Structure formats: structure tokens, C-alpha cells
């Protein structure tokens, strides 16, 4: 389900940076190294444009896809003693209830103060997409980071490769030196930032954790010989964890399509079972 587009300063900044990097890569890096009228130049232009299209499509889906709303009919089944997971308040031991939304909250659901509503499996609110990252759009956010990282690294390769091109005159050399400095510095900074963000998201997804759960230390405890053992109650294995967010096949993992909206928990995890069990038809 799509949400309405709302423009913000950060969204405008992302669009401006995307346009700037794309134009610099096409009109300066590729053109200076190969020439846009050459076979290699056209090949690199097509490949880079394809990456740019994938980035734009992923960004649109991450920004416009509703991250997940709590069903109005949701009620926690407090009498079911066999429920695999039941989240309660830290203080008082009561069932979680959102006073602002006036509704019960399923496991892993949190209230976003910026969006002013509860979000299913909320990871965080991202100002760069002006939307929460949650149950229905987590895949699009992750794929966006992947393609943005690949595009930045590709652009850096083209930048350094184009530095080997000969300059015909001193005036042209000075112009391109200034151009490379203006474009190279933010591009390198962006690449390092995206590498850190990608590694962080890979860790969270393979462990089936959200940022909120990581920083709040959400875990379960069970008895074992030698003392209590703590574990992540939603961790079902690295491959299944990734499949539950990105889809069952590798093609699903890299393809930003609308086919997987709302299937952020494709496998029957404990959370999915609990949510379905307590949500009337």
C-alpha cells in the first residue's frame, strides 16, 4: 500500500545529490575516460544509467510504501498460554497498549513520534526517505542502500580512471581539477558512509533485529544446565532471517519490485504466527 508523497529538506537533498553524482559521472568521468560516443563509453553509460534507475526505483518504493499499520481488529490473546512470544510492558507487566493511538500493539510494534502512529516491526524513522522503515518497506530500504553503494563505487572507479586522460591545454586542466575536487570529496565521503550503513543493516537483517531492538537489548531468557541463557527470540537462522525480509530467492533480494509489499515476514516466524493468530479474519 502506497502513502502520499511529502516533500522535505532531506528528500530534496538526496535528489539533488543523486542528480549531481549522475551528471558528473556521465558528462565528466565517462566522457573524459572513454568518450560518450565510443563503444566503451556507451556501454558504461548504459550500465551506470541502469544502476541509477534501480536506485531511483528503490528510493521511490522505500519512500512511498506504507511501512505497516496495526490492524484495527487486533487484540492480544492473553489467555493463550502456548503463545510463543508475548511482549509486555517493562513496568507493571501489562500487555502493550499505545495511549496515543488508543490500540494494542503487536510484538515488535512501536509508535513513531514523527509519523504519529504505530508501525509494524519498526526499525527506525529515516529522514532521508521521510518515512519509517518497517514491516512492508524494509526490503526496499536495504536494496536502496545496496544499489547506492554499488553506484558510488562504480562512480569512484570511473573518476579515478578518468584521471588518466590527457588534458589538451592548461585551462582545461585547471577546470577539471576543480571539478574533480568538488565531486570527488563528497563521493568518497558518501561511499564510506554507505559502506558502514550497509554492513550495519546486513548485521541486523541476518540476526533478525531492528535498530530499536538492538539498542533496547530485546532478548528472551530460557533455562539451561549451567544457568539462564539469553537469546534473540526472533532469530531463525541467517538465511531464513534474510529471506523473511528480502524474499525467498536471490533474485528477490536484488530486484526492487512491488510484489513483496507486506511480505517482510514471509516465513512463519514466531512473530508472524502470533500476529496471525491474534488478528481476526
Amino acid at each position: 500500500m502506497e502513502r502520499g508523497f511529502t516533500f522535505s529538506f532531506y528528500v530534496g537533498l538526496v535528489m539533488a545529490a543523486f542528480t549531481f553524482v549522475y551528471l558528473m559521472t556521465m558528462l565528466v568521468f565517462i566522457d573524459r575516460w572513454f568518450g560518450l560516443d565510443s563503444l566503451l563509453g556507451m556501454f558504461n553509460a548504459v550500465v551506470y544509467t541502469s544502476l541509477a534507475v534501480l536506485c531511483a526505483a528503490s528510493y521511490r518504493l522505500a519512500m512511498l510504501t506504507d511501512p505497516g499499520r496495526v490492524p484495527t481488529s487486533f487484540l492480544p490473546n492473553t489467555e493463550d498460554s502456548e503463545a510463543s512470544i508475548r511482549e509486555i510492558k517493562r513496568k507493571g507487566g501489562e500487555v502493550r497498549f499505545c495511549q496515543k493511538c488508543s490500540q494494542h500493539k503487536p510484538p515488535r510494534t512501536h509508535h513513531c513520534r514523527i509519523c504519529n502512529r504505530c508501525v509494524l516491526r519498526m526499525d527506525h524513522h529515516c529522514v532521508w526517505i521521510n518515512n519509517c522503515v518497517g514491516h512492508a518497506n524494509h526490503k526496499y530500504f536495504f536494496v536502496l542502500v545496496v544499489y547506492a553503494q554499488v553506484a558510488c563505487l562504480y562512480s569512484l572507479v570511473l573518476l579515478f580512471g578518468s584521471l588518466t586522460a590527457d588534458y589538451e591545454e592548461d585551462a582545461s586542466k585547471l577546470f577539471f581539477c576543480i571539478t574533480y575536487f568538488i565531486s570527488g570529496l563528497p563521493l568518497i565521503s558518501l561511499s564510506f558512509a554507505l559502506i558502514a550503513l550497509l554492513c550495519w543493516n546486513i548485521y541486523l537483517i541476518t540476526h533478525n533485529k531492528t535498530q530499536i531492538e538492538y539498542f533496547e537489548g530485546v532478548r528472551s531468557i530460557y533455562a539451561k544446565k549451567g544457568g539462564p541463557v539469553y537469546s534473540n527470540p526472533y532469530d531463525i537462522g541467517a538465511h531464513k532471517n534474510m529471506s523473511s525480509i528480502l524474499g525467498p530467492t536471490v533474485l528477490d533480494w536484488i530486484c526492487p519490485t512491488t510484489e513483496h509489499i507486506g511480505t517482510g515476514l514471509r516465513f512463519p516466524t514466531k512473530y508472524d504466527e502470533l500476529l496471525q493468530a491474534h488478528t481476526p479474519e
Side-chain angles (χ1 to χ4, degrees):
M1 183 175 67
E2 287 196 356
R3 57 193 289 270
F5 172 77
T6 53
F7 187 81
S8 70
F9 169 77
Y10 296 101
V11 171
L13 193 61
V14 170
M15 292 181 176
F18 174 83
T19 304
F20 175 75
V21 172
Y22 177 77
L23 292 177
M24 291 299 296
T25 303
M26 295 289 292
L27 302 180
V28 179
F29 306 156
I30 295 178
D31 190 43
R32 285 297 303 169
W33 193 3
F34 304 108
L36 287 174
D37 55 348
S38 67
L39 184 61
L40 280 175
M42 288 188 290
F43 173 77
N44 281 277
V46 169
V47 173
Y48 192 78
T49 300
S50 300
L51 278 175
V53 170
L54 289 170
C55 284
S58 301
Y59 186 76
R60 178 187 178 278
L61 288 170
M63 179 172 55
L64 297 183
T65 300
D66 192 300
R69 297 176 181 269
V70 179
T72 55
S73 58
F74 173 79
L75 288 174
N77 189 350
T78 56
E79 297 179 357
D80 184 7
S81 60
E82 297 182 357
S84 54
I85 299 174
R86 183 184 297 119
E87 291 187 358
I88 60 176
K89 291 183 179 180
R90 291 184 177 181
K91 297 181 180 179
E94 301 175 355
V95 177
R96 299 171 72 235
F97 184 85
C98 181
Q99 299 293 339
K100 296 180 180 179
C101 297
S102 300
Q103 64 181 6
H104 291 282
K105 294 194 292 185
R108 315 186 81 177
T109 300
H110 297 275
H111 184 88
C112 177
R113 292 177 294 178
I114 300 176
C115 297
N116 195 30
R117 66 182 180 87
C118 289
V119 177
L120 289 174
R121 198 188 176 277
M122 180 177 174
D123 185 83
H124 69 288
H125 182 91
C126 180
V127 296
W128 302 108
I129 63 173
N130 198 26
N131 193 13
C132 283
V133 177
H135 172 74
N137 68 341
H138 198 159
K139 169 193 170 174
Y140 306 134
F141 178 79
F142 178 78
V143 173
L144 168 63
V145 175
V146 172
Y147 283 126
Q149 177 64 78
V150 174
C152 282
L153 293 178
Y154 191 6
S155 186
L156 280 176
V157 171
L158 294 171
L159 184 154
F160 289 119
S162 63
L163 289 175
T164 61
D166 295 328
Y167 299 96
E168 297 178 355
E169 51 187 49
D170 292 339
S172 177
K173 183 176 181 179
L174 178 61
F175 170 77
F176 281 107
C177 284
I178 296 174
T179 301
Y180 279 107
F181 177 79
I182 294 175
S183 58
L185 188 61
L187 189 57
I188 292 174
S189 302
L190 181 60
S191 297
F192 279 110
L194 285 172
I195 288 175
L197 182 60
L198 179 60
C199 292
W200 171 239
N201 276 272
I202 289 175
Y203 169 80
L204 291 176
I205 289 179
T206 54
H207 289 78
N208 205 345
K209 281 186 178 182
T210 65
Q211 288 194 36
I212 294 176
E213 290 168 352
Y214 178 87
F215 289 111
E216 287 187 350
V218 174
R219 57 188 182 176
S220 64
I221 181 173
Y222 59 93
K224 192 174 183 180
K225 187 175 181 180
V229 177
Y230 296 93
S231 68
N232 175 13
Y234 306 108
D235 189 353
I236 55 176
H239 182 265
K240 286 188 176 181
N241 288 337
M242 293 192 68
S243 298
S244 68
I245 301 298
L246 306 178
T249 67
V250 176
L251 182 61
D252 292 320
W253 297 7
I254 62 176
C255 182
T257 66
T258 58
E259 296 178 1
H260 300 294
I261 288 181
T263 59
L265 290 166
R266 176 184 299 274
F267 278 80
T269 62
K270 298 177 181 179
Y271 165 71
D272 208 25
E273 292 171 351
L274 184 62
L275 182 58
Q276 292 178 4
H278 298 328
T279 305
E281 296 290 340

